[in-house]
Amino acid sequence: MIDNKMLIWRKKYQKLPQCLNNTIISDKREESNNKINVNLNIIKNIKNTNLNNSKIVDARTLSSPWFCPALTRSQASSILSSSSVGSFLVRRSISQGSSYALSVRVPGVQVQHHLLLVGDGQGVSLHGSEKVFPSIHAMVTHLSIMKESLPCTLDMDNHDSDASEDSDHDDIIDIDSEPELEEIVNNLQKQMIWE
């Protein structure tokens, strides 16, 4: 038994006149093309920004004590004003979107701020210099040896010595003053002999 209701096909919608149909279709195509172009531009910008930053701000830069991207110009000035000559910080530039700034304590009780230009996949350079470096850390290392257009070389030892002094004291333990530790060390030595 075949149900007759299933065989009856009715149009639920009427056809639009051809002139209206073409207008609606072309408007929808333009709208979707515009959305696609905008989305592609956003994706390209995101890709370029991430690529540049990942190459320029490498792991060594991120782990360095002088890299303070959230610091403002005034905060950097107040920190460096009481520091020794050659002390520096690298921070984000607020006025120049994706660039960074190098804040340096220079002779004469003053702090100078230098713009670091970030190229399109080309690296980073000091404003006014033709030398391009693959990362901020590479540039800072170079500027600690050669002052280029800066009034003084950067003092990387200032940052490194502070970190090493703190870490040296944290790692030293006097076993004689801690009898429990001596017992633990003896047990570990016995276990190593058995294995």
Side-chain angles (χ1 to χ4, degrees):
M1 291 178 61
I2 299 177
D3 190 6
N4 288 338
K5 290 181 183 178
M6 290 180 67
L7 295 176
I8 299 173
W9 182 73
R10 293 183 189 158
K11 290 184 180 180
K12 292 183 179 181
Y13 305 101
Q14 292 181 353
K15 246 185 174 178
L16 286 174
Q18 191 63 28
C19 63
L20 286 179
N21 196 13
N22 287 341
T23 306
I24 292 172
I25 290 172
S26 65
D27 287 346
K28 284 184 181 179
R29 281 186 187 156
E30 282 181 37
E31 187 177 311
S32 66
N33 285 341
N34 288 339
K35 284 182 184 178
I36 290 170
N37 288 339
V38 168
N39 289 340
L40 287 177
N41 287 337
I42 290 171
I43 291 170
K44 284 180 188 175
N45 290 339
I46 291 171
K47 282 184 179 179
N48 289 340
T49 303
N50 290 339
L51 285 175
N52 288 342
N53 286 339
S54 66
K55 290 179 184 176
I56 291 166
V57 181
D58 59 350
R60 292 188 75 182
T61 303
L62 286 172
S63 64
S64 298
W66 44 259
F67 185 68
C68 307
L71 221 58
T72 64
R73 180 185 181 110
S74 60
Q75 289 171 330
S77 294
S78 66
I79 291 169
L80 292 171
S81 62
S82 61
S83 301
S84 61
V85 172
S87 298
F88 67 97
L89 295 169
V90 175
R91 59 184 176 76
R92 269 211 181 279
S93 171
I94 295 172
S95 61
Q96 301 290 324
S98 64
S99 295
Y100 292 88
L102 173 67
S103 299
V104 186
R105 169 69 164 75
V106 297
V109 193
Q110 62 180 353
V111 176
Q112 288 184 354
H113 306 277
H114 299 271
L115 184 63
L116 303 180
L117 302 173
V118 177
D120 295 330
Q122 301 296 319
V124 62
S125 65
L126 188 64
H127 182 70
S129 175
E130 293 181 14
K131 291 186 179 179
V132 178
F133 301 92
S135 69
I136 293 175
H137 191 274
M139 184 195 66
V140 165
T141 302
H142 175 79
L143 292 173
S144 70
I145 300 165
M146 303 288 294
K147 66 180 187 175
E148 297 295 334
S149 61
L150 296 176
C152 62
T153 57
L154 301 180
D155 185 11
M156 287 185 76
D157 294 333
N158 187 16
H159 293 288
D160 294 338
S161 64
D162 291 345
S164 63
E165 286 175 13
D166 292 342
S167 63
D168 288 347
H169 294 298
D170 291 342
D171 293 341
I172 297 174
I173 299 172
D174 186 13
I175 295 176
D176 295 332
S177 66
E178 300 277 341
E180 297 167 353
L181 289 177
E182 188 175 357
E183 185 181 330
I184 292 171
V185 170
N186 288 334
N187 286 336
L188 288 172
Q189 287 175 341
K190 287 177 186 176
Q191 285 179 355
M192 290 178 70
I193 292 171
W194 288 100
E195 292 177 5

